[in-house]
Amino acid sequence: MTKLKFLALAIALLCGATQLSAKDYQVSDFGAKADGITLNTGAIQRAIDAVNERGGGRLVFGPGKYLTGSIYLKSNVTLHLERGAVLLGSTNPFDYVKDPYVRWMAMVFAMKQENIGITGKGTIDGQGFKTANNMVQYIQRGIYEDPLKLDRPNETNRPENIYFRECTNVTITGITLRDPASWNQTYDQCKNVYVDDIYVEANSYWNNDGIDIVDCDGVVIKNSFFNAADDVLCFKSHDANSICQNVVVDNCVGRSGANGLKFGTVSRGGFRNFKVTNITIYDTYRSAITFAAVDGGLIDNILVDGVRSINTGNVIFLRIGDRWGKGKQPSMKNVTIQNVYAEVPLRKPDAGYNYEGPIEDMPRNISPASIVGLKGYDIRNVKLENVTIVTPGGGNPYYAKVGTSAKELDAIPEMADRYPEFSQFKELPAWGFYIRHAKGITFDNVTLTAEKPDYRPAIVLDDVHGGDLENVTINDPGKKKNEIVVFQSTDIKK
């Protein structure tokens, strides 16, 4: 983890040096109009091209609204949005390019460029809700071809605010990002990505993630706020021959209709060398932390230190599966999660937001935190230290009883190829932690509290080999004799 600290410092210094050497050019000098009416796509692109041809610099947007479709950022060019400046997405889907290389739509593209960025105190507003609904009308009228599943266009046929692919030395600082029609900002197979002090409101339409980091090497995300309809801090691995690695996240706050900190769902290559510190996740439908290795990928050497999870449907979900692995073996090992305080609500935590997570079958019992490998693919070497989880308890066997007999535990399905989410098993036999197919699990100063009696024990271990749960405090008003159930497991200290 020491190397990651040096990496963060190096990226910060590099990005700072890039900005200090920049020459300023006014986008208005190239004919762009800040009236919110004139379509400026051509003028902005000509300005970017000119700044690039002159050796680079900052293309400055003064206060006003600059309507645009797809533009391509080029090497050594930074878009600088002054306070009051809005890069405003067109609501006409045909003003956007579906890039032939990445096969996605976006407002701001960059492909195989270097030393690029978007800075300042201005805003990128995709007007995505209107754009997406306009696309729906075009599809229904037969003007645009799209499967329109679940009454919404495919996410690749709706523009993101930002999509950068295979770029080096990327700086995103200070800006506000609002209302994308699809994912919000994607950095795909990039190197040295620095994100600092951004504010994200991406909760107006389906698939609105906060930020997506795909197979990148060398990433810093810090001091930022995300309000997203979908996953907040979302790390993906689309390429089986690539890996998302050397990542630092610090001092970020997020709210989601899905997950807070997430690895996956696409996880073909994997995730390695992450340090995540001081994050707050609140009013979030799914898990504060989800690590999913379900497509043959690797998860290794992960530290999460300092999490405050308030009004979040689930706290920790670690999962190995076998969905799109094509014979490649999934792996998750060497994960440390420490200094966590979490409160799980009885009711739906994201109720009332623009786009909520799906309604689960109700009534149902609260799902526990889970560490669930796959038979033959154990999750290995996981340590939880200084973790406090407060749940409502109140599990009712008349809803859907799952007991702890051998027959009942064996009946819990593997669901190897299912989309990974904490509620996929519907009902589990523990209220605090359910651990299955794992080796080397350590709980050090872990406190689990149920506010009401629950018919289930606090912890169930099934096919766990090598576990230290001696330093666990369980507060259950039901006062059961056996709060830690061990089944088909060996070398367990409790």
Side-chain angles (χ1 to χ4, degrees), residues 183-203:
W183 297 3
N184 179 35
Q185 51 185 327
T186 297
Y187 307 94
D188 187 351
Q189 296 189 27
C190 295
K191 293 183 179 180
N192 298 348
V193 177
Y194 182 81
V195 179
D196 186 12
D197 189 30
I198 67 170
Y199 184 93
V200 172
E201 288 280 357
N203 60 357

Side-chain angles (χ1 to χ4, degrees), residues 36-39 41 66-70 87-96 105 107 125-138 157-159 179-181:
I37 300 172
T38 304
L39 187 64
T41 310
Y66 301 82
L67 189 70
T68 185
S70 294
L87 198 58
L88 190 66
S90 168
T91 59
N92 183 352
F94 291 106
D95 286 334
Y96 297 94
M105 286 185 176
M107 185 196 308
D125 184 346
Q127 298 197 99
F129 182 82
K130 293 180 180 178
T131 307
N133 281 285
N134 286 342
M135 178 63 88
V136 170
Q137 292 183 24
Y138 290 145
N157 293 331
R158 295 178 261 130
D179 194 10

Side-chain angles (χ1 to χ4, degrees), residues 448-471:
L448 305 175
T449 298
E451 295 180 322
K452 293 182 179 180
D454 197 303
Y455 81 92
R456 302 168 293 180
I459 301 173
V460 169
L461 296 91
D462 181 355
D463 187 26
V464 178
H465 304 280
D468 186 347
L469 281 70
E470 289 186 299
N471 192 12

